[in-house]
Structures are given as C-alpha cells and as structure tokens.
Amino acid sequence: MPKIHSKQISKELSLLRVDDDEVRYFEALWEIENGITYNSYLLTGEDEVILVDGWKREYADDFSEALKDLIDIRDITHVIVHHMEPDHSGSLAKILKENGFRAEVLGHPLVRGMMKAFYGIDVKFRAVKDGERLSLGGLHLEFFHTPWLHWPETIMTYLRGHGILFSGDAFGGFSIPPAIFDDDDEVVSSYLPFVREYISTIIGSYRQHIPRNVKKLMDQRLEIRMIAPAHGLIWRKNPERIIEYYLKIADGIPEEGKVLVIYASMYGSCEEAGNIVAEELKKQGKRVITYGFTDVRWASINKIIGDAVDSESLIIIAPTYENAVFPTISHVADLIARKIPPNKPILVLSSHGWAGVAGKKLAERFRSANFSVIDVVEFKGKPDEDVKKRILESVSKLLSQSSTN
Ligand SMILES: Cc1cc2nc3c(=O)[nH]c(=O)nc-3n(C[C@H](O)[C@H](O)[C@H](O)COP(=O)(O)O)c2cc1C
Ligand SMILES: [Fe+2]
Ligand SMILES: [Fe+2]
C-alpha cells in the first residue's frame, strides 16, 4: 500500500504526497526499484482554495480522500496545472468532477487542449502568460513559462511574499525520500543520486533548457526561500543546492576519476574484454563502475544513464548480433546518444564470430551525437594476447583524452 503524507507546512500551505512504491517501470521504461513520490499542494487564501497539481490516476481515489480530510472538494476555486504528464494530472479529472467543474484551471495555453485530449473534459480554463501576476484571496502568484521541463506546457508558480517556488518536475527526483524536507544532510546525500538519475533519464534530451530556464528565474531576482517540486524532497534549508545540482548534471560535469564500463555478452567474450578494461582502469587509479547484460543478470538501464552523465569517459562493449549491434547495447547506446552531454570520450570494443559490424555501427551512432569515439577495437571470438594488447593501448589513449585527466 502506498504511504500518504498530508502535512500542513504553513498557515496557507499543505503538502499532499503519495509514495508510489508500486510502479515498476516509470513511463513504461525506467525501472525504478526505489519508487517515486507525487507531490501536490493545497494553498488556502481568504476565500480561495487553490489546488496545485495532483497524483497519477491510480491514486485518484486516495487523492480525493486525502483532500476531503482537509477541505470540501466543492470549495476548490482554482487548480494550477504545472505539467500535464499524467503522473500529476491523472487524478485531476476525478477531482474536477467532484468539484462540479467550479474551479478555474490555470495553466499554459496548451493545457486546455491536453485536458480534453487526455481526459475528455472541458474545464473552466484560464491561460496564464509568462510573467503574469495574479492575486487570489491574499495570495500573490506569479507564473513563469518554463518550457521543456519537462514538456512544452510546463510552468512554475512563485508565491510572492512567501518565497515559495512550485517547480513541477524540475528540481525533483526519483525514489521515496524518508523525509519531507531537505533538513537532514544524510537524507539529501542519499537522495541526490536519484535526482541525477531522474534528470538524465527524464529531462536528459531537453537538458539545455535547464540552464536557460534557471537563468530566466534568476533574472527575475526572486527571493526563493522554498522550492516545492512535484517529486521528492521539498527544499527549504538549502534551495540553492538543488538548483546548482540540476545545473551541474545538465552540463554533464564529470566526477573526477569516474569511468563507466558497459557490456553485453552472450557467451563471455565481451565480458572478458570488460574485465580486462576494468582491471587496467583500476590499476590507473580510476573509480570503475561496471554494468553487464549476460545470461544470468541484466543491468538497470536507468542506473547506467544516471551514472553515464557524470562519468569522465565511457567504454561500451557489444557483440555483433545478426549483422548489427547486440540489442540491449543498441538500446543503451541510443539512450546515451540522446540524453547524455557528449563531453566524454568513448572507447568501443566489439566481438564477432565471422564478420564484425557492431563496433563500427556503435561508433557511428555516438559520433552522430557529437561524442568523440577515440578508438574502436573489433575482434574475433575471445580476446587473445594480441587483442588484449590492442585493448590496453586503446585504454591508455582513452585516459589521455579524458576530460578531467
Ligand atoms: C544469436 C547470435 C547472432 C550472431 N550474429 C552474428 C553476426 O551477425 N555476425 C558475426 O560476425 N557474429 C555473430 N554472432 C557471433 C558472436 O558475435 C560471437 O560469438 C561473439 O564472440 C559473441 O560475444 P560474447 O561471447 O560476448 O557473447 C552471433 C552470435 C549469436 C549467438
Ligand atoms: Fe514529466
Ligand atoms: Fe513528473
């Protein structure tokens, strides 16, 4: 059963958070063993009740019950929609029906059509302009369009006077933190790797919009005392920390010495090449993280993407399979090419039985995404002494070109 948190944060503000420990593959793609939270907020003004985002559809009944413990749903006067992805909007149709569609929905102009298309509902809608200010029941709201964090319709709301930024997906992360706020440094430290995984997998393809939108907010000279995202921890002790972390990951700034070895191996040849590389890198003082796809275990693809983003270099190893790249690595390579900043040199190794093509194809894929592929070693069967020598030479070439070397 998912845990539900209903917490009054201040006189005007309550958090409604559900800890989704049932999801297995977020967006039907990302295997998130540690779950995720959906954070909704309730703002109560003098005569106004403003609902800020919702939960996903599977928790619509729980959401309705949690809201009823705080207010009469018919009293909701406004619903601010920061993002239409159904992990947040999926429960809103039920709430709006229970509300008798009295509430005015506030959002980016695209929201009205999405509401109709996703849920078949016509809502009382008010499009908010970028930079628009609106005072409701003594609450002074300011809306900012922040496109592509994570969809084109994403906005943020700043509650002037209180210094609260409702940021939607941005500044959120995967996992179910054991706290509501960022007060405890240990909680924050163990949460940040899940934020890194979230940024690189979910927002990775739109990463250039992170610094662009952060600059836009900074140019407003907002006094941000609290960041209230739609996933994960609320930042009140140190909101700058999550902003800086987002900027660092968006740029793919490497952790010094961190190198990723990713391989698939049906019968052990590529695994052997992976072991040779990992051993050599460790000898050279690198912190090596290895992910393998074999006949007894499969790596987590979102962990690979999360670790690739701040590695200083990558080694990708795959067999040739039916005259192409082995499927799992083909998938991983495609995700890396789309979602990871190309500021890391890549070494490609590949084994084949009769005619190798995987190495060349992988190199082409990465080069087309502006990665520097420093070497490709194609070999037949298991790496023999000669191949081993070539692999070690290419590793030293890779190290001489790593960004923090
Ligand atoms: C299903 C399957 C398809 C393969 N397709 C090709 C191929 O198209 N071209 C080729 O040269 N080798 C092919 N091979 C041979 C492998 O690439 C070769 O055995 C390689 O060494 C396997 O590496 P591994 O031991 O790391 O799995 C194929 C092997 C299998 C099992
Ligand atoms: Fe999203
Ligand atoms: Fe989301």
Side-chain angles (χ1 to χ4, degrees):
M1 270 303 287
K3 191 167 172 195
I4 287 162
H5 307 257
S6 176
K7 182 173 176 59
Q8 185 157 9
I9 293 174
S10 64
K11 187 161 79 58
E12 303 78 12
L13 177 65
S14 294
L15 163 75
L16 288 161
R17 167 179 134 176
V18 62
D19 296 347
D20 183 0
D21 57 3
E22 297 169 315
V23 61
R24 285 291 311 279
Y25 304 99
F26 187 72
E27 295 180 345
L29 187 58
W30 309 110
E31 190 178 12
I32 50 166
E33 290 170 352
N34 300 78
I36 189 163
T37 80
Y38 313 112
N39 304 346
S40 163
Y41 302 89
L42 200 63
L43 279 167
T44 39
E46 284 145 19
D47 303 305
E48 322 278 345
V49 178
I50 306 166
L51 179 62
V52 178
D53 297 323
W55 298 348
K56 78 172 183 180
R57 192 196 59 221
E58 284 80 350
Y59 301 120
D61 292 344
D62 301 295
F63 190 42
S64 167
E65 290 307 313
L67 278 169
K68 279 176 199 156
D69 285 342
L70 301 179
I71 46 147
D72 182 338
I73 288 179
R74 291 180 74 82
D75 290 342
I76 297 173
T77 54
H78 299 82
V79 178
I80 303 176
V81 175
H82 288 112
H83 180 23
M84 274 301 292
E85 187 165 0
D87 54 332
H88 310 288
S89 70
S91 57
L92 292 181
K94 179 183 169 80
I95 303 303
L96 284 165
K97 275 176 200 151
E98 291 181 359
N99 171 261
F101 291 100
R102 293 156 179 232
E104 188 171 51
V105 174
L106 306 173
H108 186 280
L110 289 169
V111 163
R112 183 205 296 263
M114 286 181 166
M115 277 284 182
K116 179 82 178 159
F118 290 8
Y119 308 113
I121 54 173
D122 285 304
V123 298
K124 206 198 287 180
F125 184 69
R126 171 172 175 159
V128 296
K129 292 195 192 74
D130 190 21
E132 184 172 338
R133 292 183 181 196
L134 181 66
S135 291
L136 296 170
L139 298 169
H140 305 295
L141 305 168
E142 202 164 333
F143 304 101
F144 296 101
H145 290 193
T146 49
W148 302 108
L149 300 181
H150 131 242
W151 280 7
E153 85 304 359
T154 25
I155 62 166
M156 294 188 193
T157 303
Y158 179 67
L159 184 62
R160 201 163 272 284
H162 299 257
I164 302 171
L165 182 70
F166 297 98
S167 58
D169 273 350
F171 310 129
F174 287 134
S175 84
I176 299 172
I180 299 292
F181 298 106
D182 65 332
D183 300 350
D184 181 335
D185 284 343
E186 261 178 49
V187 169
V188 172
S189 302
S190 49
Y191 172 58
L192 286 179
F194 294 105
V195 174
R196 188 185 63 205
E197 205 175 300
Y198 181 82
I199 300 170
S200 49
T201 55
I202 305 301
I203 314 182
S205 299
Y206 307 116
R207 58 185 176 270
Q208 74 273 27
H209 297 277
I210 293 173
R212 180 182 302 172
N213 281 304
V214 165
K215 180 176 184 310
K216 178 173 173 171
L217 293 172
M218 293 304 137
D219 287 348
Q220 304 296 320
R221 310 216 171 279
L222 307 177
E223 192 209 333
I224 299 174
R225 297 204 290 270
M226 183 187 289
I227 293 182
H231 298 289
L233 287 180
I234 296 174
W235 300 81
R236 69 173 177 191
K237 183 177 162 194
N238 193 355
E240 298 81 31
R241 185 162 181 193
I242 191 63
I243 297 174
E244 277 160 21
Y245 195 74
Y246 255 69
L247 290 172
K248 173 177 177 272
I249 300 302
D251 280 349
I253 294 172
E255 293 284 329
E256 200 179 337
K258 179 175 176 180
V259 181
L260 221 57
V261 177
I262 307 161
Y263 67 83
S265 190
M266 297 176 282
Y267 294 109
S269 298
C270 289
E271 186 169 44
E272 202 173 309
N275 292 339
I276 293 166
V277 169
E279 203 182 303
E280 178 61 17
L281 287 166
K282 281 178 198 157
K283 252 195 241 163
Q284 301 297 328
K286 298 293 172 186
R287 185 160 70 87
V288 184
I289 300 178
T290 304
Y291 287 105
F293 297 87
T294 74
D295 59 357
V296 288
R297 68 197 143 77
W298 266 31
S300 152
I301 290 172
N302 39 299
K303 292 259 175 276
I304 294 178
I305 302 302
D307 270 320
V309 75
D310 63 351
S311 286
E312 58 177 31
S313 52
L314 310 172
I315 295 98
I316 320 275
I317 316 172
T320 289
Y321 175 92
E322 296 174 352
N323 214 29
V325 178
F326 189 76
T328 47
I329 295 296
S330 176
H331 179 50
V332 167
D334 190 46
L335 292 170
I336 289 174
R338 292 157 63 139
K339 292 176 182 282
I340 300 300
N343 61 344
K344 308 143 198 334
I346 295 184
L347 167 62
V348 170
L349 311 179
S350 175
S351 175
H352 59 273
W354 51 93
V357 298
K360 188 165 159 274
K361 288 192 177 197
L362 278 168
E364 276 166 12
R365 180 72 191 96
F366 290 125
R367 284 185 179 130
S368 72
N370 297 320
F371 281 91
S372 155
V373 177
I374 61 104
D375 215 348
V376 180
V377 182
E378 301 250 22
F379 53 98
K380 196 165 175 169
K382 289 205 186 303
D384 61 13
E385 281 310 309
D386 185 46
V387 169
K388 199 172 161 184
K389 206 166 135 246
R390 274 163 56 210
I391 291 175
L392 294 180
E393 279 164 14
S394 57
V395 169
S396 69
K397 214 159 133 189
L398 178 78
L399 293 183
S400 70
Q401 296 197 16
S402 291
S403 42
T404 56
N405 205 50

